[in-house]
Amino acid sequence: MKNVLDREVKWDVDERFALPDLGDIIAHGQLDHDTVDLRTVYYDTPERDLQAHGIQVRRRDGYDDPGWQLTTSWTAGPTELRWPPTDVPPAAMTKLLTGISLGKPLTSVATIHTMRNRYRIRDPVANELCAEVADDSVHAWADERLLAWREIEVELGPHTPSVPKRLTDRLRYAGARPSRYPSKLSHVVSPTPSTEPASPAAHALVRYLGTQIDAIMAGDLGLRRGHDPIHDTRVAIRRLRSTLRVFGKLLDRSVVGELDDELRWFAGLLGDVRDCQVQRRRFNEALDGFPEELILGPVRSRIRNDLQSIELPARERLREAMDSPRYLAIMAVLREWRTDPPVDPDTTTAELIRKTRRASRKADRRLTAALTDGEDAMLHRARKAAKRARYAAELSKPAGNTKKTKQTIKHYKRIQSVLGDHQDTVVASATLQQMAVEAGTTVGENGFSYGLLFSREKQIAEECRQQARKLL
């Protein structure tokens, strides 16, 4: 499997369009021309689950890089994953898509045949491709329909930051127009039906939900690829759960159902892995600041081995969960929400702001109570309330007083950060206590260095409480 960044710009043209001179787009550039016969077959589930999340799967023949491609649009530019050509979708690719396709089989949904006049502009000094200009005559079949059109596609070379202005100007002057379609497939296949919000407030709510769902889907794909988007995925789940809690009355409760509890279950599995990562980094950074004479025994290796013995089983539980019916049921709900969000289309700005202010007041009350009580659990609850207040302000920002909302976001972000540091000390202290006990009963080890680390955590916890009091 190969991973590349695909950057291209499309232009609509008619049959009378004449391609302008491309020979001097870059100084002393070299222009190569050839013609290729291309065929692309697109795949999706019968319910168009991939299309709903902005994913394309296709098999290409006749290209310089024939084979299977999976394209996403969650990053700054579409990212393509590639596999060699096979008669059926590669098993590795379908496995990666399990969470997004909901485990359904992929079938062909469109076939596109392109006769391409290809012009490659090269920099002779750097000996590399600057841009490729393709003049495409296209015939497509989908849902028993036959379509034909012509378009210009400009694909940038690996080190070309943007389409050269001279090329853009000449295409426009010749009659080319920026394409209405982001891809050939979108020209052929109708967009996934979706609900349009009727008010700016409803639009803000729908957009925020969609952003979190996209992040969760990107996290699913990243985890299955062996990457580690655990933090970003947890944050997206937190934001989504916060939306359910704060703005729940503006949503269709019959659709929301038990989603909050199910998201909490999956976030907990992610958290079991993430906590080990945070603690390992935290302890090693602390030890880096200690004089070597205060590090008695194999402290670093115990930290590494003990945390690894927790993290590896946690990762296995996470992998098993992601293939379970319970997890796929969560993904099925999110897929429906992506195109049919359970938002009251007539939600007003006043309702949105009222809910946001209520979340802020609740966060203030919880922080006051927690600082009065002093219990770690109360401070943790105050932290979660501060997060909900921050996320609610982020959501309502497009519909409210932008300057004031920015101040609100910044304020609760500070509180969240301080109380987050405090919660990290709580978790770290419990881990260090256990390590100290085990080291103290193991030949060749002792609990001295763990005691120093524990004392450091207690000092940080007190500093966090003081900072929280100032923020209140």
Side-chain angles (χ1 to χ4, degrees):
M1 178 184 71
K2 293 173 62 180
N3 182 12
V4 301
L5 188 65
D6 180 30
R7 299 178 300 150
E8 59 187 32
V9 181
K10 295 181 181 295
W11 302 78
D12 289 334
V13 297
D14 57 31
E15 289 303 318
R16 296 170 298 174
F17 177 82
L19 193 68
D21 181 23
L22 304 175
D24 60 346
I25 294 300
I26 64 169
H28 310 294
Q30 176 183 336
L31 183 65
D32 299 325
H33 170 252
D34 62 359
T35 301
V36 287
D37 188 349
L38 311 173
R39 178 184 174 89
T40 305
V41 182
Y42 289 86
Y43 286 73
D44 204 335
T45 67
E47 292 75 22
R48 304 290 197 270
D49 296 302
L50 304 187
Q51 183 183 1
H53 293 296
I55 293 177
Q56 288 185 9
V57 166
R58 59 196 176 194
R59 176 183 163 145
R60 310 176 79 183
D61 293 292
Y63 289 78
D64 298 328
D65 52 350
W68 292 89
Q69 296 182 349
L70 186 162
T71 306
T72 71
S73 55
W74 293 319
T75 53
T79 298
E80 287 185 355
L81 308 180
R82 299 179 180 178
W83 291 264
T86 55
D87 291 337
V88 297
M93 183 181 71
T94 57
K95 186 172 178 60
L96 281 182
L97 289 169
T98 298
I100 298 169
S101 69
L102 307 176
K104 303 173 187 176
L106 302 181
T107 59
S108 62
V109 296
T111 299
I112 297 178
H113 180 215
T114 304
M115 290 299 298
R116 170 168 290 182
N117 279 301
R118 183 169 59 177
Y119 302 83
R120 292 181 165 183
I121 305 170
R122 297 184 177 276
D123 183 341
V125 177
N127 192 28
E128 66 178 24
L129 179 70
C130 294
E132 177 179 303
V133 180
D135 185 351
D136 291 343
S137 294
V138 187
H139 289 80
W141 300 264
D143 299 326
E144 300 182 351
R145 294 184 302 132
L146 172 62
L147 297 174
W149 71 92
R150 185 182 174 196
E151 69 179 30
I152 303 297
E153 183 177 296
V154 178
E155 184 168 349
L156 302 180
H159 299 104
T160 305
S162 60
V163 179
K165 185 176 184 300
R166 181 177 295 180
L167 175 57
T168 299
D169 290 344
R170 286 190 183 176
L171 288 173
R172 288 183 183 276
Y173 185 77
R177 304 169 305 280
S179 180
R180 297 163 292 169
Y181 302 98
S183 67
K184 288 181 172 65
L185 181 63
S186 63
H187 200 136
V188 180
V189 177
S190 300
T192 307
S194 59
T195 304
E196 281 297 322
S199 68
H203 180 77
L205 190 48
V206 167
R207 183 177 181 182
Y208 196 81
L209 287 171
T211 299
Q212 310 322 316
I213 292 171
D214 286 347
I216 293 170
M217 295 297 162
D220 174 275
L221 194 61
L223 286 166
R224 294 180 192 275
R225 291 180 63 194
H227 295 177
D228 206 30
I230 289 179
H231 175 67
D232 291 343
T233 307
R234 287 182 76 202
V235 170
I237 291 175
R238 287 172 183 165
R239 284 187 161 101
L240 185 53
R241 292 187 61 214
S242 173
T243 303
L244 301 182
R245 297 282 296 276
V246 176
F247 301 100
K249 292 186 178 180
L250 304 180
L251 306 174
D252 182 348
R253 300 303 298 178
S254 67
V255 179
V256 172
E258 303 298 323
L259 182 62
D260 185 35
D261 289 338
E262 294 302 279
L263 288 172
R264 179 170 57 187
W265 161 72
F266 184 64
L269 295 173
L270 294 170
D272 291 341
V273 178
R274 177 66 177 170
D275 286 347
C276 294
Q277 297 173 333
V278 171
Q279 290 180 53
R280 182 165 52 246
R281 182 176 66 249
R282 186 183 188 90
F283 297 156
N284 284 328
E285 288 177 353
L287 290 173
D288 288 343
F290 284 4
E292 282 299 318
E293 60 268 22
L294 297 183
I295 304 177
L296 306 184
V299 179
R300 292 184 188 272
S301 62
R302 172 171 285 281
I303 288 173
R304 181 184 64 250
N305 294 337
D306 284 10
L307 290 176
Q308 193 173 62
S309 70
I310 299 171
E311 181 179 349
L312 292 180
R315 284 190 178 276
E316 183 59 30
R317 291 193 298 273
L318 178 61
R319 282 192 290 269
E320 292 176 354
M322 290 179 66
D323 289 328
S324 70
R326 183 177 184 181
Y327 175 77
L328 292 181
I330 295 174
M331 300 298 274
V333 173
L334 298 183
R335 183 263 180 265
E336 290 300 317
W337 285 22
R338 194 62 187 88
T339 53
D340 189 17
V343 175
D344 181 352
D346 296 317
T347 298
T348 66
T349 299
E351 288 176 312
L352 213 60
I353 293 175
R354 185 162 58 248
K355 300 290 184 185
T356 301
R357 289 175 177 170
R358 182 176 297 174
S360 297
R361 291 194 296 269
K362 186 173 184 178
D364 294 342
R365 290 196 303 270
R366 286 225 175 146
L367 181 57
T368 300
L371 291 174
T372 301
D373 183 275
E375 291 291 329
D376 292 338
M378 291 287 287
L379 287 167
H380 187 43
R381 291 185 68 205
R383 176 200 177 198
K384 291 191 286 187
K387 282 192 293 188
R388 286 194 291 271
R390 173 193 170 187
Y391 298 153
E394 287 177 349
L395 187 155
S396 62
K397 181 180 174 182
N401 183 318
T402 302
K403 182 177 181 180
K404 185 175 181 180
T405 304
K406 284 183 179 179
Q407 293 172 345
T408 300
I409 294 170
K410 188 175 181 180
H411 173 67
Y412 287 108
K413 184 177 180 180
R414 286 200 198 100
I415 295 175
Q416 175 189 340
S417 177
V418 169
L419 296 184
D421 290 343
H422 181 272
Q423 180 61 18
D424 286 344
T425 69
V426 173
V427 176
S429 296
T431 302
L432 288 168
Q433 281 184 307
Q434 182 64 31
M435 287 182 178
V437 170
E438 293 178 1
T441 57
T442 302
V443 176
E445 297 188 49
N446 66 75
F448 176 77
S449 298
Y450 305 99
L452 292 180
L453 289 170
F454 181 86
S455 177
R456 175 179 176 274
E457 295 296 339
K458 290 301 181 183
Q459 180 182 351
I460 293 174
E462 181 54 36
E463 291 172 354
C464 289
R465 287 192 180 91
Q466 293 175 6
Q467 292 178 46
R469 291 189 183 94
K470 292 178 181 178
L471 289 173
L472 181 65

